[in-house]
Amino acid sequence: MKSIPGLFLLFLLLISNLSVSQNCSYVIVIHGGAGNIRPENLPPLVASTYESKLKEVLRVGDSLLNAGSTSLDAVETCIRMMEDCPLFNAGKGAVFNAEGKNEMDASVMDGKTGLAGAVAGVTTIKNPIRAARAVMEKSQHVMLSGKGAESFAKSQGLEIVAPDYFFTQERWNDYLKAKNKADSIEIIDKKHGTVGCVALDKYGNLAAGTSTGGMTMKRYGRIGDSPIIGAGTYADNNTCAVSATGHGEFFIRNVVAYDISALMKYKGLSLQDATSEVIMNKLKSQGGTGGVIAVDKNGNIAMTFNTPGMFRGYVKAGGEMKVALYGEK
Ligand code: ASP
């Protein structure tokens, strides 16, 4: 009889160790935009350049989370790396608006606290994702735009650059092509290139972030879904973290990122079913193109898109890593 409390204690210890080891797993997922990404549109050398950059970003995210960083830090760092890389339509390499300027949007959300921050229509902040996080952590607000966002970023010591820092010849050529073709936004016949990241850390906290130059030939002052919490970005520790990419107007009207979380919360859908419902059914039936990356509170992953391809990848605790560009056959 005497040994029963001892046995019970041992049982409790085992249970608590089990749950600690479960919580020790983490996941990070990134995207570099969705669109008409097909093998025939992407020379092999370009495709492998994208793949190696995605892997490099994932390796950094992996080592951060493995070392105990928060999902928020990992999301910010991974997005910052993609903003600094001219391959993607975010930060350096952002697309041009109808006036031949780069106007960028970004947002971040912390699933633990429900806090969020965003900047929209910024032209001189080197890393818009850092500014979005500063808005969340250092201001009373959720979103700042244009000049106000820029002066706030400066006051926070963030790096400010001349607008031509963001210039790349390739995006300029895309702009000239789009301008000559029509005065409508180019949607499907090119890759988008927005970047996003979602993560679950060792402590069970989710975070999501998105950063973009928007869409080539967008009207001056146009703001897409990427800086809109609930549309392009959403995170809630009780459900999932989501980052979107695609034709922003559809993502705003359908409140895509929040809709996925709400389907899980109120209808009990799995992460995969929720993302499929929104991207493959709802959005597709309206002609809305794009996709999302998402991770749920249990570390399940979804990378769902209704375009021919999406630059994407994930890494899980233990090292399982996958990077892909095209639709699965
Ligand atoms: N969603 C972005 C926007 O509409 C563009 C993209 O993801 O490619 O601004």
Side-chain angles (χ1 to χ4, degrees):
M1 277 309 267
K2 258 198 182 154
S3 63
I4 286 185
L7 273 177
F8 185 63
L9 215 75
L10 196 73
F11 176 70
L12 277 183
L13 256 169
L14 270 174
I15 294 269
S16 68
N17 269 343
L18 262 181
S19 66
V20 166
S21 66
Q22 267 171 6
N23 285 344
C24 273
S25 64
Y26 58 84
V27 179
I28 188 156
V29 193
I30 57 174
H31 73 73
N36 195 17
I37 301 162
R38 304 173 192 268
E40 57 270 32
N41 295 341
L42 224 52
L45 196 65
V46 180
S48 68
T49 313
Y50 274 100
E51 279 168 357
S52 28
K53 189 68 199 182
L54 292 171
K55 282 183 190 156
E56 183 193 330
V57 173
L58 285 172
R59 276 195 288 269
V60 170
D62 182 35
S63 60
L64 282 172
L65 290 172
N66 192 30
S69 285
T70 63
S71 49
L72 207 53
D73 283 340
V75 163
E76 184 196 325
T77 302
C78 289
I79 291 184
R80 194 143 44 88
M81 286 179 75
M82 291 189 280
E83 286 178 339
D84 290 343
C85 172
L87 286 174
F88 303 104
N89 169 23
K92 180 145 186 85
V95 299
F96 290 89
N97 69 10
E99 311 213 329
K101 305 253 163 64
N102 304 114
E103 284 185 300
M104 288 151 288
D105 305 328
S107 67
V108 69
M109 186 160 185
D110 180 356
K112 179 184 174 194
T113 58
L115 292 174
V119 292
V122 296
T123 59
T124 61
I125 301 173
K126 185 178 178 220
N127 290 110
I129 193 66
R130 292 194 69 194
R133 184 162 179 191
V135 171
M136 173 172 86
E137 290 176 341
K138 307 279 171 52
S139 85
Q140 302 294 312
H141 309 297
V142 170
M143 186 190 284
L144 294 177
S145 72
K147 295 270 173 275
E150 287 166 2
S151 71
F152 173 74
K154 198 171 174 195
S155 75
Q156 295 302 313
L158 301 188
E159 192 170 350
I160 303 296
V161 292
D164 64 2
Y165 160 81
F166 301 101
F167 179 93
T168 59
Q169 192 61 47
E170 203 203 327
R171 299 295 189 204
W172 184 250
N173 295 345
D174 289 343
Y175 162 70
L176 294 179
K177 233 190 288 163
K179 202 174 153 159
N180 292 336
K181 216 193 274 174
D183 54 358
S184 63
I185 299 176
E186 270 213 9
I187 301 159
I188 185 71
D189 62 319
K190 69 182 299 298
K191 49 202 179 296
H192 292 296
T194 291
V195 306
C197 181
V198 295
L200 171 71
D201 63 27
K202 286 182 173 178
Y203 320 105
N205 293 320
L206 292 166
T210 312
S211 181
T212 189
M215 299 177 80
T216 304
M217 280 298 286
K218 66 182 180 181
R219 189 175 273 276
Y220 166 60
R222 177 263 190 188
I223 290 167
D225 60 310
S226 309
I228 299 189
I229 298 303
T233 301
Y234 194 72
D236 176 353
N237 267 9
N238 298 305
T239 53
C240 60
V242 182
S243 168
T245 174
H247 193 168
E249 281 68 11
F250 289 86
F251 284 72
I252 296 172
R253 286 193 288 262
N254 288 283
V255 204
V256 163
Y258 178 73
D259 201 22
I260 290 167
S261 169
L263 283 171
M264 295 179 72
K265 186 165 182 176
Y266 301 119
K267 280 191 119 182
L269 262 62
S270 70
L271 184 76
Q272 191 56 60
D273 287 350
T275 60
S276 297
E277 173 59 29
V278 176
I279 301 299
M280 308 311 278
N281 295 336
K282 203 170 166 185
L283 221 55
K284 202 171 175 185
S285 68
Q286 298 170 23
T289 55
V292 292
I293 51 165
V295 57
D296 73 14
K297 60 177 180 174
N298 299 314
N300 297 305
I301 292 171
M303 303 188 289
T304 309
F305 50 97
N306 62 28
T307 45
M310 179 166 82
F311 298 123
R312 62 198 187 280
Y314 69 81
V315 62
K316 295 180 177 176
E320 179 190 329
M321 185 192 282
K322 184 176 175 190
V323 157
L325 314 183
Y326 314 114
E328 315 259 76
K329 292 264 148 64

